[in-house]
C-alpha cells in the first residue's frame, strides 16, 4: 500500500485541508476581496487587495463549500462580490490588478489575474454560488476579446487600463494559468473550444518550448514568440518573472498536461500521443534540476539553462506542485517511483514547510530550510497548499471544483 491508497493518509490530507481553510478565513477584507496574510495569519493592511489573491481565495472557498465546510460558501460569495464590484473596471471592462482604500492602485489589465478570474468564477459555478454564472460569462468574454490571440494560439500578456499600450512581452506563467482556467471553465460550460485552446497553449509551451531546451521551459518571450533566454538575468529572484527555468512550473505543467489529456479524452476529443511522455519528461527534469542539487534538502527555485541553481530559496508552492504532479503521474501510470517520490515530497513538507504553530505553510525557506523572506514575505494565500491536499484524493479529470461537485471525493 502506498500513501496514495492509504485511508489514514487521506484522513491526514482532509485535516490539512481544514487547517488551511481555517487559516485563510482571516484574509477577508471587509471593504471587498481578500488581503495578503502575514506569517501569523493576520491580514496585512499595508498591502493592497490584489486581483490574483482575491481570485485564488475565492476559488479556495468554493472548494471548501463543495467539501461541506460551514462558512466557506459565504466567503466564496464575498470574493464574487468583490470581482463584480470593487475590483471590476466598470468604465473599460476587465479587472484592476490591485485596489486600495481609495480605488485602483494598479489599473493594468494583466493576463495572470484575468486567468484567475475565470478559475474563481468556474469554481463558484460548480459550487452553485449566486452571480457566479454571470461573472464567468464576463470573464470569458473579456479574455476572448482582449487576451486570446487566435493566430498564435496563446494568451497576450497585459494592457493599460483602457486596453491600449499592449505589452510586447509574452509570458508562459500567465498562459499556464490560462490552461488551468480553461480546464475549469470547460467542465462547467461544456465548451470544448476551451480545451482546444488549452491544447494549443500546451503544445507551444511544453512540446515545443520545453522539449527544445532539455525540458527546461523558457518562460519569457517577445511579441513574436521568440524566447528571451536572458530575460531578468539581472533580477533572477523576481517573484513572477525570474530568470532561467522555474522548477515549480515544470511540475505544474507536467500535471496540467496530464489533466488536459484526460479532459480531451473524456470530451471525445483527440489528445496527441506526446502528452504523457512529455509530462513525464518535464517532471523528471524538474526533479533532476531541482531536488537537493546544492547540498541541502529541498527544491531550488530556479536554474540557468545549463541546470545550475540560480535562486536557491525553497518556495512552498514548488513542493506543493511536486506533490500534485507525483500524485497525478501515479494515477496515470501506476508506477511506484511516483508514489515513492510523493511520500518523499510530503516528508520534506512535514519536516520543514508546515508551520504547525503559526498555521499554514512557510512560503519561503532558505537553503538551510529556515524561514526566509527574500522573494516572498508572509503567507500570501492557501491556493497551492490546499490543492496539494485535494489533487491526490481526486481523479485526474475533471478540474477540482467540478470533481467535488460530482461527488468524487468519496
Amino acid at each position: 500500500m502506498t500513501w496514495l491508497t492509504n485511508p489514514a493518509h487521506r484522513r491526514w490530507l482532509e485535516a490539512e485541508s481544514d487547517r488551511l481553510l481555517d487559516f485563510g478565513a482571516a484574509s477577508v477584507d471587509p471593504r471587498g476581496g481578500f488581503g495578503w496574510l502575514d506569517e501569523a495569519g493576520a491580514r496585512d493592511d499595508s498591502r493592497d487587495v490584489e486581483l490574483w489573491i482575491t481570485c485564488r481565495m475565492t476559488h479556495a472557498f468554493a472548494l471548501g463549500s463543495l467539501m461541506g465546510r460551514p462558512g466557506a460558501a459565504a466567503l466564496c460569495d464575498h470574493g464574487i462580490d468583490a470581482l463584480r464590484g470593487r475590483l471590476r473596471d466598470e468604465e473599460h471592462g476587465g479587472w484592476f490588478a490591485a485596489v486600495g482604500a481609495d480605488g485602483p492602485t494598479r489599473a493594468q489589465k494583466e493576463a495572470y489575474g484575468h486567468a484567475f478570474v475565470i478559475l474563481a468564477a468556474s469554481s463558484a459555478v460548480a459550487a452553485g454560488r449566486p452571480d457566479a454564472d454571470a461573472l464567468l460569462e464576463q470573464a470569458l468574454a473579456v479574455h476572448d476579446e482582449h487576451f486570446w490571440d487566435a493566430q498564435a494560439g496563446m494568451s497576450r500578456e497585459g494592457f493599460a487600463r483602457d486596453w491600449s499600450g499592449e505589452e510586447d512581452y509574452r509570458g508562459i506563467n500567465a498562459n499556464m494559468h490560462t490552461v488551468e482556467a480553461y480546464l475549469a471553465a470547460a467542465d462547467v460550460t461544456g465548451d470544448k473550444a476551451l480545451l482546444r485552446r488549452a491544447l494549443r497553449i500546451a503544445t507551444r509551451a511544453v512540446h515545443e518550448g520545453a522539449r527544445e531546451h532539455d525540458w527546461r521551459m523558457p518562460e519569457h518571450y517577445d511579441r513574436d514568440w521568440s524566447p528571451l533566454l536572458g530575460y531578468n538575468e539581472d533580477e533572477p529572484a523576481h517573484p513572477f518573472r525570474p530568470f532561467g527555468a522555474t522548477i515549480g512550473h515544470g511540475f505544474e505543467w507536467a500535471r496540467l498536461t496530464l489533466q488536459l489529456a484526460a479532459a480531451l479524452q473524456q470530451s471525445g476529443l483527440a489528445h496527441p500521443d506526446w502528452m504523457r511522455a512529455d509530462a513525464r519528461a518535464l517532471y523528471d527534469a524538474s526533479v533532476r534540476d531541482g531536488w537537493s542539487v546544492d547540498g541541502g534538502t529541498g527544491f531550488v527555485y530556479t536554474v540557468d539553462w545549463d541546470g545550475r541553481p540560480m535562486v536557491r530559496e525553497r518556495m512552498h508552492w514548488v513542493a506543493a506542485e511536486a506533490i500534485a504532479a507525483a500524485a497525478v503521474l501515479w494515477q496515470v501510470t501506476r508506477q511506484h517511483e511516483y508514489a515513492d517520490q510523493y511520500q518523499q515530497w510530503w516528508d520534506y513538507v512535514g519536516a520543514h514547510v508546515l508551520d504547525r504553530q503559526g498555521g499554514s505553510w512557510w512560503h519561503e525557506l532558505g537553503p538551510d530550510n529556515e524561514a526566509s523572506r527574500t522573494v516572498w514575505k508572509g503567507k500570501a494565500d492557501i491556493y497551492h497548499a490546499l490543492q496539494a491536499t485535494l489533487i491526490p484524493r481526486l481523479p485526474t479529470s475533471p478540474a477540482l471544483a467540478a470533481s467535488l461537485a460530482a461527488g468524487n471525493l468519496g
Side-chain angles (χ1 to χ4, degrees):
M1 179 180 290
T2 73
W3 279 15
L4 284 155
T5 58
N6 187 328
H9 176 65
R10 295 170 74 89
R11 289 195 296 272
W12 183 89
L13 293 173
E14 182 91 0
E16 184 62 11
S17 296
D18 287 343
R19 196 177 76 99
L20 290 163
L21 288 165
D22 287 344
F23 184 89
S27 63
V28 169
D29 188 318
R31 298 166 297 183
F34 296 97
W36 187 291
L37 291 172
D38 65 17
E39 290 179 3
R43 192 179 70 251
D44 184 350
D45 286 331
S46 70
R47 291 179 174 269
D48 297 330
V49 167
E50 299 199 54
L51 177 62
W52 63 278
I53 287 184
T54 291
C55 290
R56 281 163 40 150
M57 295 304 292
T58 303
H59 162 68
F61 290 119
L63 299 178
S65 173
L66 286 159
M67 289 189 286
R69 298 318 187 253
L75 293 172
C76 177
D77 293 348
H78 176 82
I80 296 296
D81 289 345
L83 294 171
R84 287 175 56 80
R86 187 182 185 195
L87 282 154
R88 171 79 175 161
D89 184 348
E90 296 295 342
E91 181 179 359
H92 298 290
W95 287 268
F96 301 121
V99 296
D102 300 319
T105 54
R106 292 206 329 272
Q108 301 98 312
K109 305 297 168 56
E110 298 173 345
Y112 184 84
H114 280 71
F116 278 115
V117 178
I118 297 173
L119 177 65
S122 298
S123 296
V125 169
R129 303 317 306 158
D131 299 321
D133 289 284
L135 177 63
L136 179 57
E137 184 178 354
Q138 281 183 332
L140 289 170
V142 168
H143 204 276
D144 189 58
E145 180 178 358
H146 297 290
F147 289 105
W148 178 247
D149 182 344
Q151 182 175 357
M154 302 291 282
S155 174
R156 301 179 179 93
E157 186 69 20
F159 301 84
R161 176 178 179 176
D162 63 358
W163 301 104
S164 65
E166 180 185 344
E167 191 174 358
D168 287 333
Y169 172 88
R170 299 288 187 267
I172 288 297
N173 191 8
N175 274 276
M176 179 181 71
H177 287 292
T178 298
V179 169
E180 176 188 33
Y182 279 168
L183 286 170
D187 284 332
V188 296
T189 65
D191 187 353
K192 296 181 181 181
L194 298 174
L195 298 179
R196 296 187 185 97
R197 286 186 180 184
L199 179 58
R200 292 186 69 186
I201 295 172
T203 300
R204 185 188 292 273
V206 176
H207 195 55
E208 297 172 8
R211 174 182 285 272
E212 291 170 2
H213 292 85
D214 198 19
W215 302 106
R216 299 180 184 111
M217 180 176 290
E219 297 269 344
H220 315 299
Y221 290 78
D222 65 16
R223 182 186 285 259
D224 298 321
W225 284 101
S226 297
L228 303 172
L229 299 184
Y231 189 90
N232 267 348
E233 193 166 5
D234 58 348
E235 194 180 355
H238 193 284
F240 292 104
R241 299 182 183 182
F243 166 73
T246 305
I247 296 301
H249 286 166
F251 289 128
E252 210 162 349
W253 270 111
R255 168 175 64 84
L256 286 168
T257 299
L258 292 171
Q259 291 173 330
L260 173 58
L264 289 165
Q265 184 175 23
Q266 290 171 2
S267 297
L269 301 174
H271 63 286
D273 293 338
W274 58 261
M275 298 184 80
R276 179 182 292 195
D278 284 19
R280 295 183 68 175
L282 263 180
Y283 175 91
D284 290 345
S286 296
V287 176
R288 174 198 70 198
D289 288 346
W291 176 250
S292 300
V293 293
D294 59 353
T297 306
F299 293 103
V300 299
Y301 180 36
T302 62
V303 298
D304 69 11
W305 300 110
D306 294 316
R308 292 186 294 262
M310 289 296 298
V311 179
R312 297 170 57 210
E313 277 69 25
R314 277 70 166 143
M315 306 300 172
H316 90 291
W317 69 268
V318 178
E321 290 301 334
I323 287 165
V328 171
L329 275 161
W330 181 83
Q331 289 172 4
V332 170
T333 69
R334 284 301 195 265
Q335 293 196 2
H336 280 281
E337 65 183 286
Y338 300 119
D340 292 343
Q341 288 174 335
Y342 172 85
Q343 180 173 340
Q344 185 178 12
W345 310 151
W346 266 125
D347 276 336
Y348 169 73
V349 167
H352 300 289
V353 186
L354 296 185
D355 183 358
R356 291 184 170 86
Q357 284 71 47
S360 189
W361 297 17
W362 293 109
H363 272 36
E364 178 186 317
L365 302 173
D368 59 358
N369 280 305
E370 296 296 327
S372 173
R373 300 154 188 89
T374 302
V375 181
W376 294 100
K377 295 180 180 179
K379 298 171 180 172
D381 72 332
I382 62 171
Y383 158 81
H384 285 285
L386 180 65
Q387 293 196 154
T389 70
L390 280 170
I391 288 169
R393 295 185 280 154
L394 291 169
T396 305
S397 180
L400 293 180
S403 196
L404 291 171
N408 290 333
L409 191 59

